[in-house]
């Protein structure tokens, strides 16, 4: 019988480039990247069912009450959650699963599934992070300020993670990421 897949959780402050790194993992064989549900409005170019399952708050909270999420959390005024069914399905098939989620959700996963490996991606510096958030051009000044405040809190949580890597250069960081994932027991 095929061994059960491994569960990896990737977190890091908004703008750190974790979306890019996780996007690169989507091309790898035997890795499945989970699609989360959110109450946030879609950004330009985002597709329902590919980037997120976009839901209204009532539907989201009903699903949460029914135990439909492995974890869920409120972040920057919106709810985000990982649907349980598809994650379990892939792990059962021996496929490694990656969740790209924020810190509160990651810690809920670790509590429920201690074998999950938590990976924290950090920016070279907070100044660099601010520049990247601004460069993205998708956020208002107020949202940028809020995300930077959250980033400071998130960076304080990184000791609770199994592995930390600095995204100073995307290709180098990706090589380190897949190296860690391959070696994780
Ligand atoms: P964004 O709005 O920029 O797409 O995501 C905001 C934050 O929510 C990011 O840190 C992202 O990793 C996190 N996030 C995305 N999906 C989930 C999820 O299913 N659960 C939790 N807890 N956080 C999520």
């Amino acid at each position: 019988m095929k061994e059960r897949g491994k569960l990896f959780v990737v977190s890091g402050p908004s703008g750190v480039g974790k979306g890019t790194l996780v996007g690169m993992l989507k091309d790898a064989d035997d890795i499945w990247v989970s699609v989360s549900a959110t109450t946030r409005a879609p950004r330009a170019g985002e597709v329902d069912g590919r980037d997120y399952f976009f839901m209204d708050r009532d539907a989201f909270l009903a699903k949460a009450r029914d135990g439909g999420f492995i974890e869920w959390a409120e972040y920057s005024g919106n709810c985000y959650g990982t649907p349980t069914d598809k994650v379990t399905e892939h792990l059962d098939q021996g496929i490694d699963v990656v969740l790209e989620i924020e810190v509160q959700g990651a810690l809920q996963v670790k509590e429920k599934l201690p074998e999950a490996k938590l990976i924290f991606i950090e920016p070279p510096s907070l100044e660099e992070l601010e520049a990247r958030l601004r460069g993205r051009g998708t956020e208002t000044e107020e949202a940028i300020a809020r995300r930077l405040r959250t980033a400071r809190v998130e960076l304080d949580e990184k000791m609770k993670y199994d592995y930390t890597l600095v995204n100073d250069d995307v290709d180098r960081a990706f090589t380190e990421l897949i190296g860690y994932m391959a070696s994780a027991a």
Side-chain angles (χ1 to χ4, degrees), residues 10 12-14 18 36-37 40 43 46 52 71-73 75 80-83 100-102 104-106 136 147 154:
V10 176
S14 184
K18 59 189 186 300
S36 295
R40 157 166 93 54
R43 294 192 186 119
E46 284 184 331
Y52 279 108
E71 60 70 38
W72 72 273
Y75 181 92
Y80 296 83
T82 305
E100 188 216 312
I101 65 178
E102 53 68 65
Q104 308 164 69
R136 196 153 81 171
R147 282 173 186 253
E154 286 171 331

Side-chain angles (χ1 to χ4, degrees), residues 2-168:
K2 214 169 173 184
E3 216 175 289
R4 197 170 150 82
K6 287 179 279 189
L7 180 58
F8 295 97
V9 178
V10 176
S11 306
S14 184
V16 77
K18 59 189 186 300
T20 306
L21 290 168
V22 169
M24 289 160 87
L25 286 175
K26 287 183 186 163
D27 297 331
D29 290 336
D30 275 345
I31 293 179
W32 180 75
V33 178
S34 172
V35 180
S36 295
T38 184
T39 62
R40 157 166 93 54
R43 294 192 186 119
E46 284 184 331
V47 176
D48 187 42
R50 185 194 66 188
D51 300 292
Y52 279 108
F53 294 105
F54 296 100
M55 298 174 82
D56 66 38
R57 213 176 167 90
D58 287 345
F60 186 99
L61 292 175
K63 191 174 164 85
R65 261 195 312 275
D66 292 346
F69 296 124
I70 297 181
E71 60 70 38
W72 72 273
E74 189 131 11
Y75 181 92
S76 274
N78 293 298
C79 299
Y80 296 83
T82 305
T84 308
D85 45 4
K86 285 271 173 352
V87 171
T88 311
E89 224 170 83
H90 283 86
L91 291 174
D92 287 348
Q93 286 169 16
I95 297 169
D96 291 348
V97 171
V98 175
L99 313 181
E100 188 216 312
I101 65 178
E102 53 68 65
V103 170
Q104 308 164 69
L107 299 177
Q108 288 175 45
V109 172
K110 190 72 175 176
E111 201 147 286
K112 276 194 194 160
L113 304 163
E115 70 278 14
K117 297 289 180 216
L118 268 46
I119 303 167
F120 192 89
I121 302 181
E122 62 176 330
S125 67
L126 275 172
E127 290 71 27
E128 174 72 27
L129 184 69
E130 183 169 356
R132 287 187 201 173
L133 275 174
R134 218 160 251 129
R136 196 153 81 171
T138 54
E139 244 60 56
T140 60
E141 276 302 312
E142 192 199 330
I144 290 173
R146 191 164 54 193
R147 282 173 186 253
L148 282 172
R149 279 197 299 277
T150 308
R152 289 200 178 83
V153 175
E154 286 171 331
L155 285 165
D156 285 343
E157 302 278 18
K158 71 176 185 208
M159 298 84 69
K160 297 180 183 156
Y161 278 64
D162 296 296
Y163 193 77
T164 299
L165 72 88
V166 179
N167 187 15
D168 45 1

